Amino acid sequence: MYSQQRVIIEDVKPQLDGGIHQIKAVVGEIIPVSASIFSDGHDVLAASVMYKSSEASEWQEQRLLHTGNDHWIGRFKVDKQGGYEYKIVGWVDYALNWQYGIGRKIDDNQHVKSELLEGVEYVMRVRDKALPEEQDYLNYLIDEFKDEERYTAATRSAQSDELKAIFTKYPEKFLLNSSVLFKVYVDREKARFSTWYEFFPRSASSEPGVHGTFKDCERLLPRVAKMGFDVLYFPPVHPIGEVNRKGKNNTTHAFEGDVGSPWGIGSKFGGHKAIHPELGSLDDFKALVQKAKELGIEIAIDFALQAAPDHPWVKDHPEWFKWRPDGTVQYAENPPKKYQDILPIYYESADWKNLWQEMLDTALFWIEECDIKIFRVDNPHTKPFYFWGWMIEQIKAKHPDMIFLAEAFSRPKIMHQLAKQGYTQSYSYFTWRNSKDELIQYMNELTTTDQKYYFRPNFWPNTPDINPWALQSGNEATYLFRYFLAATLSSNTGLYGPIYEHLNGAALEGKEEYLDSEKFQLKDWNWDIENKLTIMISRINDIRKSHRSLQQTNNIKFLNLENDKLLAYYKYDDLHEDETLMVVNIDPYYAQKGWVQMPLHKLGVPEGHPIGMNDLISGSNYIWDKEWCFVELDPSMPFHLFKINK
Amino acid sequence: MYSQQRVIIEDVKPQLDGGIHQIKAVVGEIIPVSASIFSDGHDVLAASVMYKSSEASEWQEQRLLHTGNDHWIGRFKVDKQGGYEYKIVGWVDYALNWQYGIGRKIDDNQHVKSELLEGVEYVMRVRDKALPEEQDYLNYLIDEFKDEERYTAATRSAQSDELKAIFTKYPEKFLLNSSVLFKVYVDREKARFSTWYEFFPRSASSEPGVHGTFKDCERLLPRVAKMGFDVLYFPPVHPIGEVNRKGKNNTTHAFEGDVGSPWGIGSKFGGHKAIHPELGSLDDFKALVQKAKELGIEIAIDFALQAAPDHPWVKDHPEWFKWRPDGTVQYAENPPKKYQDILPIYYESADWKNLWQEMLDTALFWIEECDIKIFRVDNPHTKPFYFWGWMIEQIKAKHPDMIFLAEAFSRPKIMHQLAKQGYTQSYSYFTWRNSKDELIQYMNELTTTDQKYYFRPNFWPNTPDINPWALQSGNEATYLFRYFLAATLSSNTGLYGPIYEHLNGAALEGKEEYLDSEKFQLKDWNWDIENKLTIMISRINDIRKSHRSLQQTNNIKFLNLENDKLLAYYKYDDLHEDETLMVVNIDPYYAQKGWVQMPLHKLGVPEGHPIGMNDLISGSNYIWDKEWCFVELDPSMPFHLFKINK
């Protein structure tokens, strides 16, 4: 580089792929930054993080601190929803460099008259920027530095903290160099802390065999709210295709009265902007959304970009689908599997710009017409990544509080890429992580690698698509600790509730699919059920609401505990103002005991210091004053959730 | 991104800082590459590494192989000195995708008439690019695919390897995406494998007390060559300043007859383009360079950008130095230390462009006038990094075979940055790495982190500036194994020879400085000395010349050996055609023994397979056929250097 710049800035953290993708935060979050900053020679450097909301014109600044070996750290706070930019800048601070040098020479008993004259120049330069009272002081120094009679006083003044403070306050950023620009997207807090409940509106009726409606759903809202959920997610609410409709248990033939899969979207009743007639009207839906809101619940809808063969798009925009040489339309397939109730959208269509626009318009319809702010997106990994990048950017520019949950149960890099393209939250592998080792390894991957910057996992013990082996054979303890793990390991959690609360793990043989799945038929749930599981779910959700350490995922430390069936972890908020400690027995059959090592260093207390441990589940209080503390848990109540009081 | 592209390319390796800096290789090297490559959905992808010499206009291509979980690998070879560029490209391969899909459907006993018609389209498209004989085959397939009578034969042809080979040979790169461009600098082989010897020409005289000359140096060349060194590095050969000249042992006062430090460059006899009169003339120097060349030795000169107070630059270009408010010139200093025989160049001068140009011209003078191709650069970390980046780029554009060794014994990030800015080789921390743990940890840092791409260490047991504690107190064994370690751990190695061969570790008290250092006075060396040490140095150097595993640094594996004083390591060239195994006793006083674990997996042989171990030091031969083999080494000959014959 043909430039006189001398300061090198490298290894800036946080960052994603050199600034190509944005990292994620929520409103009010403090973002720690670090970088390698150095120059040739021995001159004193200074550095800052510069940051601003993308809409703002003025940069804000926070100085960085050198912690040794050319490593610098700092932090900045994001207060506003939407995009932010930041960069690291560094410069040679000649004024501080002069002060450092003259100090060393005075210590070495060298005569520094010439150095004092150099100092006059630095003091004069800073004087012009200083406040009037500071200017008086600086003028005094200038006289003193020049006055040979006051040499001794001048050597003291030259080294003073007052002068250092003024130099630091008004830096002259000589040969300023800058990192590239990095971006943060700042979401509302719900992006990081949300508690989802899923049910099928069509099963909301209180009368067996009768198709549920949005009105029926309204009746269920207080229960959902009382259990502590704040997002209510519905599978697609659009007209269900009648051509090639699926029968019960995913059979290819539907009999008279079979309701089909809500994901087979579109029929003579309309497409992605219409409501399935049996659920009610668009007005009913809007009313439901508002009723839910009054109870602190946001309705999330399913954004599933695929079409039943009788979707209006197929007739109106045949160029949005792929047609084969024999004149037939291309069904969804993953050879040799075929999905004949669904046509994939043909993103490589020559008409792709109109196609993308229609997808965007569809999303905006629900956002702007119905006040929907959360989308659970179905199979996003079968649509182009850049399409999502574009669409989410377009939507968030107008609606920064939108939340997108990616339903991609796919390979790691696929899931990560969707998050990089802007997805707010992602379904995760938690559903299949059962052993202590698996859980710790997965959590470490999520919270200690780059993933912590952009991949916000949402932990679901089950979904309508996944009835995991562990739950199929699970007893009450299993259902209890699986929800506890989901809701305390991750701040975003969700439950396909009705079937879970009934402890119903009946499966299609040899598959992780529910038997008689609600995806293809109506179900009659007892919506008044109350049992140990529902009580515990409610209590866990309630505790989450009042403990900030549980409203985030990344600040977690697993604790030493020599028992493969006992898992202990400590969580804390950014300022260590709220600290909790969880112990879980993941053996569904036997009591387990062991000694847990307290994270004394993280807690900042010495061994012997009495720590109040308040079990928020049982209400019991303990004092722990040892580094290693005894715990024992029975499957009948397989967890502690301690609030730590130091 | 508003684009239909579907393929994502990430995590390309090798690369440095996202492509900002170039990685390094030598002519003939094979560069392995890898990347994460994936797209939405299930389509078959293909990918290549595209590469070319920066001067070439055509890209060359090597296909990548998918090894699972979206990870792809490949390699390319660099044949030409100078800059290279490479990038990773990926695309959806619809022809292969079609072939994969129809295969799965046929396996599933589905009827694929419609799929065969789709295949006709792919075959027709590839036909236009194919060779005549391939076209005949493809025309045959087109007829067959269309002919319902030959349906069964068509299903076989559709899945054939022949068709797959043609699709692979002539890919249609649909929706091609590309990584950014990355750069490699390809040096000549000596950049990676060099054996340096250093002496002061002024001590080359055979008569005690007489100032040596280049003519005297000529007499010493055969000895240097016979000992197996191929680079002969001289401290600065320019006129030595007379103002503020340093006296013996770095005292600030020089007495009559004191010769001063060669690094205090410039006097009435000239500056950086002149020869110190007492050494001879410029023609003498040129003659020496050519004589050395005939013996296979390259002369390396010292490029030390600083000036004595009486350097001609100070009078001719006062603006290239810093002047203080009191009218005096700024001496070099690192407060409270002052170096009054040296003025630093003021890179922040307003006249910096002329200054930089003069530095460049100075380098080009020695390169073009005197055929010098190797510079050892003095204290490069006290000059701006970007200055070096610019200068090295300018020089290498004209002289791609230039080698620059950075003499920066500084903090890690400083040393790394110089390598990133283009330094070919770097002095290293080897000089202070003594214990087994230290050596292994340092080697792992050099060879398993990003440093392996750009930081080529040069291992020196000593230099005129460093008489390390270990050598000050070292016996013959110490001197033997320290050189052995330097020369077998690293392919670039060097020795400040005369003092080392005399096992002279006398030091200034409490400092890692030689007593009566040659930096400030003439020395009378016995240039005919021959002892165990010189014989072993010669033998080690000789073995390095005929074993490619020792001509590189990165392919190394430390072997298990349960003895803190015994170090064992295995080295191999890229193709595993040359393999060596070193065992070193780093205890200077006692024999040490232990069991070394053979790297059977790396060697590709099963346990029990007899391996011929030919000790190239002693000439002894052994057969090792166990995984764990016994070794014992006495300080009198503290190493094995085995050639492995499988």
Side-chain angles (χ1 to χ4, degrees), chain B residues 100-117:
Chain B
Y100 175 82
I102 199 169
R104 298 296 74 68
K105 289 175 186 173
I106 292 165
D107 290 348
D108 194 47
N109 290 315
Q110 296 178 24
H111 192 72
V112 292
K113 176 170 173 293
S114 178
E115 282 77 4
L116 285 170
L117 292 181

Side-chain angles (χ1 to χ4, degrees), chain B residues 34 90 181 274 317 345 355 371 504 514:
Chain B
S34 66
L181 211 59
H317 299 280
I345 309 289
L355 167 62
D371 201 19
N504 182 341
Y514 283 106

